[in-house]
Amino acid sequence: MKTYHGSCHCGAVRYEADIDLALGTIKCNCSICSKMRFWAVQLAPTAFRLLQGQDALREYRFHSRRDGHCFCGDCGINVFSTGDAPRSGPFVAVTVVSLDDLPVADLLAAPVRHIDGRNDNWNTPPVEIRHL
């Protein structure tokens, strides 16, 4: 477990998160995740701390409105998502590309789990993942 720091592109939103990269990262093929090229690490809400930028954050919800995709209203960068998964409970999913002090080598060494969100099949990876 290590504490990492992250931000949006313009720096209006800043956070820190306690992350164990050995637990892996996730990529999803649902419509919004595909368009965002969403790559995240899922955490318990208690492992995430917003340090600044609550007023700059915007949230987008679609379909079931269960998950909130949070992005900076100034620069548009998606920094994290929130939700309540049936299998694992409440979560914050931090986008790995918004982590400022995560060495690329550490990110590449982290396992990746692919999720078939497009078909609401959370237990089996999608057949095609090369585009994710």
Side-chain angles (χ1 to χ4, degrees), residues 53-123:
Q54 180 66 46
D55 56 327
L57 278 177
R58 302 296 178 266
E59 182 183 74
Y60 177 68
R61 291 178 181 258
F62 74 106
H63 189 49
S64 68
R65 309 242 185 263
R66 185 182 67 212
D67 297 342
H69 301 276
C70 301
F71 62 96
C72 176
D74 295 328
C75 67
I77 297 299
N78 175 259
V79 285
F80 62 92
S81 296
T82 61
D84 193 352
R87 195 167 81 179
S88 58
F91 68 85
V92 173
V94 172
T95 58
V96 296
V97 295
S98 70
L99 291 165
D100 298 324
D101 52 1
L102 173 62
V104 173
D106 292 356
L107 177 58
L108 294 175
V112 178
R113 181 170 57 102
H114 292 89
I115 300 170
D116 189 5
R118 186 171 301 269
N119 296 301
D120 289 327
N121 183 357
W122 309 106
N123 298 317

Side-chain angles (χ1 to χ4, degrees), residues 41-54:
V41 60
Q42 196 167 338
L43 317 165
T46 55
F48 176 84
R49 293 166 299 282
L50 184 64
L51 301 176
Q52 79 176 49
Q54 180 66 46

